[in-house]
């Protein structure tokens, strides 16, 4: 079983739609969680961290469910510019140090 | 404002050739990583270095070696390239702030597109 699993998609949605991605992780001791965004043929970049209480950044909301070991990302009012691959990232903190484990990514395509 | 710099950006190797991918960061980060990205597989960790002087294997270390030359530089070496090592390679760095219980943002280089024929 992969340490971090995501639905690969693609999710094809019209502009203005609300779309949600889920991600599950296997290491129950994992402490920190992130969503990264990757545009085609570019490097990944941090979209937002995921906090235990859930957090929101504009149109983006991230939530963490430790009991079920999953993380979610909700995008409201989708824009064409949101088209990208969204990577779920878990830091299992091996030996007390950062060790970032990436999911395979969920591809989002927003169309007019 | 360089961040993480990887060289080269593109490379074609013949099977059996060796090469070293270079990575340098100017953010004074402790942790550095090498990932490979293949279609449908996401980023897989090859090796990481939690701090200067230490390196550890990741998920897919076979066929690779690394050197953490100093705090800034972390190189990845392919001793005898194989077609299975055709991939996009990313170097990244991050730091720990405050409690080790909270990870911090990782910054990536632009990637190296390697083809082994």
């Amino acid at each position: 079983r992969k340490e971090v699993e995501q639905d690969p998609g693609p999710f094809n949605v019209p502009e203005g739609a609300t779309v949600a991605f889920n991600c599950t992780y296997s290491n129950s001791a994992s402490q920190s969680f992130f969503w990264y965004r990757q545009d085609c043929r570019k490097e990944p970049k941090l979209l937002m961290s995921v906090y235990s209480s859930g957090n929101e950044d504009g149109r983006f909301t991230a939530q963490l469910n430790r009991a079920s070991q999953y993380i979610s990302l909700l995008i409201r009012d989708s824009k064409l510019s949101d088209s990208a691959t969204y990577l779920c990232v878990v830091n299992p903190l091996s030996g007390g140090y950062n060790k970032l484990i990436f999911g395979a990514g969920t591809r989002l395509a927003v169309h007019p | 404002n360089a961040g993480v710099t990887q060289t080269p950006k593109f490379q074609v190797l013949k099977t059996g050739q060796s090469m070293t991918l270079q990575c340098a960061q100017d953010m004074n980060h402790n942790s550095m990583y090498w990932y490979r990205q293949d279609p449908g597989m996401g980023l897989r960790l090859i090796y990481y270095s939690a701090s200067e002087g230490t390196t550890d294997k990741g998920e897919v270390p076979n066929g690779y070696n690394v050197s953490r030359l100093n705090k800034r530089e972390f190189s990845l070496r392919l001793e005898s390239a194989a077609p299975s090592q055709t991939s996009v390679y990313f170097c990244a760095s991050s730091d720990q702030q405050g409690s080790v219980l909270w990870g911090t943002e990782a910054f990536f280089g632009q990637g190296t597109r390697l083809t082994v024929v």
Side-chain angles (χ1 to χ4, degrees), chain A residues 2 31-32 34 36 38 41-44 46 51-52 66 87 91 93-94 96-104, chain B residues 31 33 35 37 40-43 45 48 50 90 94-96 100-106 108-110 113:
Chain A
K2 291 183 180 179
Q31 293 292 330
S32 53
F34 309 89
Y36 276 69
Q38 186 175 25
R41 302 178 76 81
K42 298 285 189 181
E43 71 274 21
L46 179 68
Y51 301 123
S52 296
R66 285 189 184 273
L87 303 168
N91 185 354
L93 285 165
S94 173
Y97 294 100
N98 289 320
K99 181 182 174 185
L100 301 178
I101 306 297
F102 284 74
Chain B
S31 302
Y33 315 80
Y35 292 89
Q37 186 172 35
M41 301 291 291
L43 282 91
L45 184 64
Y48 68 105
F90 286 101
S94 71
D95 208 355
Q96 293 170 205
V100 297
L101 290 179
W102 296 102
T104 57
E105 178 177 1
F108 284 79
Q110 292 184 311
R113 298 184 182 280

Side-chain angles (χ1 to χ4, degrees), chain B residues 78-99:
Chain B
L78 286 70
E79 290 291 353
S80 178
S84 61
Q85 293 178 305
T86 293
S87 188
V88 180
Y89 291 85
F90 286 101
C91 176
S93 72
S94 71
D95 208 355
Q96 293 170 205
Q97 295 175 353
S99 167

Side-chain angles (χ1 to χ4, degrees), chain B residues 28-45:
Chain B
N28 203 36
H29 286 168
N30 286 317
S31 302
M32 297 187 74
Y33 315 80
W34 276 105
Y35 292 89
R36 60 177 288 174
Q37 186 172 35
D38 303 291
M41 301 291 291
L43 282 91
R44 291 182 292 169
L45 184 64

Side-chain angles (χ1 to χ4, degrees), chain A residues 51-92:
Chain A
Y51 301 123
S52 296
S53 56
N55 48 301
E56 189 173 306
D57 183 2
R59 298 181 293 107
F60 298 85
T61 301
Q63 293 198 315
L64 168 65
N65 185 319
R66 285 189 184 273
S68 301
Q69 293 180 213
Y70 81 78
I71 307 148
S72 65
L73 177 67
L74 182 77
I75 305 175
R76 291 181 299 277
D77 189 22
S78 298
K79 312 290 185 191
L80 294 175
S81 57
D82 293 334
S83 297
T85 297
Y86 291 84
L87 303 168
C88 174
V89 184
V90 173
N91 185 354

Side-chain angles (χ1 to χ4, degrees), chain B residues 66-92:
Chain B
V66 290
S67 295
R68 183 73 183 267
L69 304 169
N70 47 56
K71 192 171 186 180
R72 288 187 67 247
E73 299 172 287
F74 188 38
S75 62
L76 178 72
R77 182 160 178 84
L78 286 70
E79 290 291 353
S80 178
S84 61
Q85 293 178 305
T86 293
S87 188
V88 180
Y89 291 85
F90 286 101
C91 176

